Amino acid sequence: MSKSDSISMSVIRRLPRYYRFLSELNDQKVDRISSTKLAQIMNVTASQVRQDLNCFGGFGQQGYGYSVSQLKDEIKNILGLNNDYKAILIGAGNLGKAVAMHMNFEKLGFELIACFDNNEKKVGQQLNNIFVKSETELDEFCKQNHVDSAFLCIPRVCVENVLDKLYALGIKNYWNFSHYDISAKYSDTLVENVHLSDNLMTLCYRMNNNK
């Protein structure tokens, strides 16, 4: 087992927040920051910050703290944001359009190279610099282009057939908005599930218990 395999998902899921806050600090021309100050921004303890960063080598200096620009770049490398993984988007409905139009994929480690939909009325529409293709073109496109991942912005009931096709084409990495349990069917996939309704229900719970 490699060292990266032993790092908990809770630490990994904090890395994007570190990167986001450090990017903001860097834009504000902040040169260095202490673990205490970074902890306040992250809403964790200074000990947690040091433990998290020590998983990847530490990066700080006693009495100096962390170089904001250096730590930002280190976390960018750890996250792999320079990889430009090739991605396709399935579903050009309202959600798919929003994802294609408003996500800055180039800064997030991905390049969106195609979008597919089974509604022929949507085929040919332009989303930023790509045009929506018919789902019937999916096989041929994936055979001619290296595709690292698929973003699923389609209803849950539509996923299984598309998923079987994508998996057969060798795609095993998914950003999943569909609520379909991909990893239950294909255990060797990497899946990040996005549940907007869960987030909203959590907010509802917190509001309900803050009366």
Side-chain angles (χ1 to χ4, degrees), residues 150 152-167 174-187 189-198:
L152 304 184
C153 295
I154 51 179
R156 186 180 188 277
V157 294
C158 301
V159 171
E160 189 161 11
N161 288 338
V162 176
L163 175 63
D164 289 343
K165 187 180 296 186
L166 292 169
Y167 187 85
Y174 299 93
W175 193 28
N176 179 30
F177 289 82
S178 72
H179 294 198
Y180 182 93
D181 192 352
I182 294 172
S183 56
K185 182 166 189 180
Y186 295 114
S187 60
T189 55
L190 294 178
V191 184
E192 281 295 319
N193 295 300
V194 182
H195 295 299
L196 298 176
S197 58
D198 288 9

Side-chain angles (χ1 to χ4, degrees), residues 54-109:
N54 281 339
C55 290
F56 305 97
F59 313 119
Q61 298 178 27
Q62 188 72 30
Y64 177 87
Y66 302 99
S67 163
V68 169
S69 62
Q70 181 182 354
L71 184 56
K72 177 184 76 72
D73 289 343
E74 292 283 2
I75 293 177
K76 182 178 182 179
N77 289 333
I78 291 166
L79 287 168
L81 301 186
N82 293 315
N83 281 313
D84 291 328
Y85 289 120
K86 308 300 181 190
I88 57 173
L89 188 147
I90 310 296
N94 291 333
L95 177 58
K97 284 181 181 178
V99 169
M101 297 291 287
H102 300 296
M103 294 295 296
N104 193 345
F105 291 110
E106 290 78 9
K107 291 187 176 181
L108 301 171

Side-chain angles (χ1 to χ4, degrees), residues 128-146:
N128 279 343
N129 62 338
I130 63 173
F131 290 90
V132 179
K133 297 177 181 294
S134 170
E135 200 172 288
T136 59
E137 301 177 67
L138 182 60
D139 281 43
E140 191 61 29
F141 181 89
C142 290
K143 288 173 182 176
Q144 293 184 1
N145 297 271
H146 176 77

